[in-house]
């Protein structure tokens, strides 16, 4: 007997398909097969067949489906009653999922050992077992529970096969396939990084850069997050020309940088005006007042009467980069000599070396640096940067500042230039700076953001569930975008389904994730940037709640002197993990946790996450 679940669920005997009628029978068979010889409980079968509202006769109907399967599959397959459910045994049968997993393991092992041709062959065989979307004829409840996991297995195998093919120098054959895959899975960062690599090795550096900025825009608009480490590292490798080109058709990196420039001639001696901003955000929602203020300040700066540096700060996921990029595009006309963009931190929150950032900026300015500053000391790089920017009407966006100690060194050498800086920490040591602090959205703005991803009609059909989802997201744009993306990707899910998943506080951070991207992970860099004592304070304050509290109450909770507690609280405020929301009747500051930060602290306090917190805070 041959069973297939990687496509429509089927059973074949001697190559002949057995006629299984109806989605319920296919669902029961698939549930038993996916259990891999373990007992599937009646409750599990009931939820996979009927969801939240099984009929009163559910047990009898399940018994009927099992009897029908026994007759159809014959003596080669045993389906036994094992309280609290049923178990399927078919020792002489094959299951395409198990065969796929074996080939996938062997292929990834070969890839890890550098046997790329063998890896490509094995992984291609594994992927060839798929006959379309898995579980194609089961109930929506089983599909909702299992399909994402199976699809993730397929995509991992696909990414590994592409990696092997890239190592074999097959980049020219891969560009068309990868272009289609990136269009189908725009949030899949590894596929996007692989497409960038293929483009670069084919001499299409401009396409590689465009692919990155397009992905950065999609991640921000749909999830409110920045690209991860793999995609960010690939972007940097394109900029510095270190992707290990395997084709003589590759042209120098200068071509890619030049192609990223805006068309036209600014008239300056350095050639075309660089324009390396990420793409503008078309459906930008909220922040109208902050956006107008930033654009006004940039206009003042261009005329020499405003601040030279503008800072945008706020907690993780609040939309700092989205606002900065929007403001930079709107103000581009004030800076005709170019608009530059550079990331100041790695995806895990570690600050980049000043040499790395200067290398990116100098490459964009048409003064390439070999490697990442090799052959030139930091003083020489700063001199080149100041010389290259002297007298030019430039706007420089520096994204993800961790501290302010070196930011002054990145200010252009021109009074007509401006710098727009984003960062979670409160930055105070930047010359002539003005700060905009972003706070979570109000309910109405959160609703508009959710509706942009899900559709207003769907939300209006379930107003109570919609309000529950918005309450669980607590106004944080990243959380709202993740919730919207999950609902948009599962059009058959009622909004109430997600609302019920988010209702349990202990599960909420886990549920606020999509495609391997998660709210909890976005908060970890803020923790890593804290001094050790402040990190321990965050964990120990997990039970204090979301009501405002003074340092005196925190000191009692922590059983330590008020001065020590206040110092740690200020570190948490500086890291945007705690807010100052007012003063009490004695004039003392009142602190307050954002609801999702408090859940984050509670997760760190749990025994299960203790080792992760210790490693992150070290």
């Amino acid at each position: 007997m041959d069973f297939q679940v990687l496509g429509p669920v089927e059973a074949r005997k001697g190559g002949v398909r057995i006629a299984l009628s109806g989605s319920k029978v296919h669902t029961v068979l698939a549930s038993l097969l996916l259990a891999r010889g373990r007992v599937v409980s009646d409750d599990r079968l009931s939820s996979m067949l009927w969801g939240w509202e099984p009929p009163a006769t559910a047990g009898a109907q399940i018994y009927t489906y099992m009897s029908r399967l026994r007759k159809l599959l014959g003596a080669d397959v045993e389906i036994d009653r094992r309280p609290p459910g049923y178990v399927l045994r078919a020792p002489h049968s094959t299951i395409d999922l198990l065969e796929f997993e074996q080939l996938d393991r062997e292929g990834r092992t070969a890839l890890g050992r550098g046997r790329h041709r063998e890896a490509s062959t094995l992984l291609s065989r594994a992927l060839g077992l798929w006959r379309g979307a898995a579980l194609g004829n089961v109930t929506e409840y089983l599909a909702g529970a299992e399909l994402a996991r199976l699809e993730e297995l397929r995509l991992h195998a696909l990414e590994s096969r592409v990696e092997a093919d890239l190592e074999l120098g097959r980049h020219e054959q891969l560009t068309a396939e990868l272009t289609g895959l990136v269009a189908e899975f725009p949030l899949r960062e590894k596929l996007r990084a692989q497409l960038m690599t293929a483009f670069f090795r084919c001499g299409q550096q401009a396409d590689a850069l465009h692919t990155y900025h397009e992905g950065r825009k999609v991640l921000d608009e749909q999830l409110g997050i920045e690209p991860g480490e793999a995609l960010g590292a690939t972007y940097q490798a394109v900029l510095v020309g270190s992707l290990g080109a395997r084709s003589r058709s590759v042209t120098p990196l200068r071509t890619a940088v030049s192609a990223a420039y805006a068309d036209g001639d600014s008239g300056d001696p350095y050639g075309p005006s660089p324009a390396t901003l990420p793409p503008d955000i078309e459906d930008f929602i909220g922040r109208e007042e902050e956006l107008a203020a930033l654009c006004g300040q940039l206009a003042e700066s261009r005329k020499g009467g405003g601040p030279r540096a503008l800072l945008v700060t706020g907690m993780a996921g609040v939309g700092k980069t989205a606002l900065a990029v929007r403001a930079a595009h709107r103000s581009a006309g004030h800076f005709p000599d170019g608009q530059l963009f550079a990331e100041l931190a790695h995806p895990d929150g570690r600050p980049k070396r000043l040499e790395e950032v200067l290398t990116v900026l100098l490459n964009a300015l048409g003064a390439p640096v070999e490697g990442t500053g090799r052959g030139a000391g930091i003083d020489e790089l700063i001199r080149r940067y100041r010389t290259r920017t002297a007298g030019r009407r430039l706007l420089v966006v520096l994204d993800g500042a961790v501290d302010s100690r070196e930011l002054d060194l990145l200010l252009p050498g021109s009074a007509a230039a401006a710098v727009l800086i984003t960062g979670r920490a409160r930055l105070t040591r930047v010359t002539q700076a003005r700060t905009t602090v972003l706070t979570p959205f109000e309910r109405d703005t959160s609703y508009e953001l959710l509706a942009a991803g899900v559709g207003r009609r769907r939300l209006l059909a379930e107003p109570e569930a919609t309000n529950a989802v918005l309450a669980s997201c607590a106004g944080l744009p990243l959380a709202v975008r993740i919730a919207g993306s999950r609902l948009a990707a599962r059009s058959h899910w009622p909004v109430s389904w997600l609302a019920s998943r988010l209702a349990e506080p202990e599960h909420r951070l886990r549920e606020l994730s999509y495609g391997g991207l998660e709210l909890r992970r976005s908060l970890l860099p803020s923790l890593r940037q804290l001094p050790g004592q402040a990190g321990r304070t965050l964990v120990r304050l997990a039970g204090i709640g979301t009501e405002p509290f003074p340092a005196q109450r925190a000191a009692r909770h922590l059983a330590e002197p008020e001065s020590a507690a206040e110092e740690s609280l200020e570190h948490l405020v500086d890291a945007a993990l705690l807010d100052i929301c007012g003063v009490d009747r004695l004039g003392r500051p009142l602190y307050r946790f954002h609801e999702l930060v408090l859940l984050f602290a509670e997760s760190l306090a749990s025994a299960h996450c203790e080792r992760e917190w210790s490693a992150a805070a070290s």
Side-chain angles (χ1 to χ4, degrees), residues 11-39:
R12 293 178 178 270
K13 187 171 184 178
V16 178
R17 185 170 66 86
I18 296 173
L20 304 175
S21 60
S23 63
K24 296 289 195 296
V25 171
H26 287 99
T27 297
V28 169
L29 176 59
S31 298
L32 294 171
L33 292 172
L34 292 171
R36 303 165 186 262
R38 297 186 298 273
V39 173

Side-chain angles (χ1 to χ4, degrees), residues 442-456:
E442 297 294 333
R443 188 267 180 197
D444 289 349
T445 308
S446 294
Y447 182 92
E448 292 301 319
L449 182 60
L450 186 63
V454 177
R456 196 176 301 273

Side-chain angles (χ1 to χ4, degrees), residues 31 34 40-49 142 145-146:
S31 298
L34 292 171
V40 183
S41 70
D42 292 342
D43 286 344
R44 168 74 175 177
L45 288 167
S46 177
S47 64
M48 295 302 98
L49 287 165
L142 178 58
E146 296 287 350

Side-chain angles (χ1 to χ4, degrees), residues 187 215-226 281 284 319-323 481:
L187 299 175
R216 196 172 194 275
K217 176 184 177 183
V218 169
L219 290 169
D220 178 73
E221 290 181 347
Q222 295 197 27
L223 302 177
I225 64 170
E226 292 299 303
I281 300 168
F284 188 83
K320 301 177 292 294
T321 302
L323 175 63
R481 288 185 184 277

Side-chain angles (χ1 to χ4, degrees), residues 62 93 139 166 177 260 309 414 476 496 513 581:
I62 291 172
S93 300
T139 63
L166 282 172
E177 179 187 9
S414 171
L476 192 64
S496 58
S513 63
C581 59

Side-chain angles (χ1 to χ4, degrees), residues 7-8 30 69 108 116 128 199 204 285 303 315 339 385 394 413 454 465 482 487 489 498 528 535 552 554 565:
L69 276 175
R108 285 188 287 111
H116 302 122
F199 275 144
Q204 298 171 240
I285 293 173
K303 297 172 184 176
M315 67 179 293
Q339 307 89 42
Y385 178 62
L394 291 166
V454 177
I482 291 175
L487 289 171
L498 182 59
R528 294 190 178 102
Q552 185 180 35

